[in-house]
Amino acid sequence: VLAQLLSPLSEAHIEIDMMVQSLHYHQIDLSFSVHQRDAQQTLTMIQAVATRLGAGTICVDNEVAKLAIVGVGVRSDPQVLATMLRVLAEASIPVLWLCASEMRLCILIDRAFLTLGVRLLEQAFFSSVQIMENHNSHKEEEKDNVNFNETCG
């Protein structure tokens, strides 16, 4: 099912950034984010495949943004994630998704909280890690994300 859903996006050179898949009650729940500029094309393509597969509802959230902390070893230092989550929680900024790699910690948040989140994390970490906020000069972090949620039967 995943290959059938995602192959057309790959062929169209649509970058999938963050992805979550879960299985519950014999249904696959798939959520992923793409750049805002690819949202309409992605929706059209996913709807076509979902119809062929007899999939469930497709939900789209255009009001999310990615916030990332980038630096060598951010994942191996548990204090980085703990501090990031504490700072955001103290400001009542809900974390929708969390993704970790060796070099970066990414969270998906409501777009309305992006500026505040960046400012708070900059204050918490100063210059010890690099904070990116949708700068066009850095392709990997320029995401105005769209969250697609697909439940397949």
Side-chain angles (χ1 to χ4, degrees), residues 83-104:
T83 300
M84 182 182 196
L85 295 175
R86 179 186 50 78
V87 165
L88 296 173
E90 288 173 354
S92 298
I93 298 175
V95 174
L96 305 174
W97 292 4
L98 172 66
C99 180
S101 70
E102 190 61 36
M103 296 280 301
R104 67 183 187 158

Side-chain angles (χ1 to χ4, degrees), residues 5-93:
L5 279 170
L6 302 179
S7 290
L9 300 180
S10 173
E11 292 167 8
H13 303 288
I14 295 174
E15 177 186 348
I16 296 172
D17 185 44
M18 299 173 76
M19 182 181 297
V20 176
Q21 176 188 336
S22 60
L23 178 65
H24 51 87
Y25 302 109
H26 305 289
Q27 289 188 330
I28 297 171
D29 184 33
L30 175 66
S31 299
F32 61 92
S33 63
V34 298
H35 195 284
Q36 183 70 41
R37 70 174 174 254
D38 297 323
Q40 188 56 51
Q41 182 181 8
T42 300
L43 179 59
T44 301
M45 295 173 86
I46 292 297
Q47 285 174 329
V49 174
T51 299
R52 279 198 322 267
L53 295 175
T57 306
I58 298 173
C59 304
V60 179
D61 185 351
N62 286 303
E63 296 302 318
V64 294
K66 182 175 73 173
L67 188 60
I69 296 179
V70 180
V72 175
V74 294
R75 191 180 76 180
S76 62
D77 182 353
Q79 288 303 310
V80 176
L81 177 58
T83 300
M84 182 182 196
L85 295 175
R86 179 186 50 78
V87 165
L88 296 173
E90 288 173 354
S92 298
I93 298 175

Side-chain angles (χ1 to χ4, degrees), residues 37 104 106 116 131 146:
R37 70 174 174 254
R104 67 183 187 158
C106 299
L116 175 61
I131 308 292
V146 177

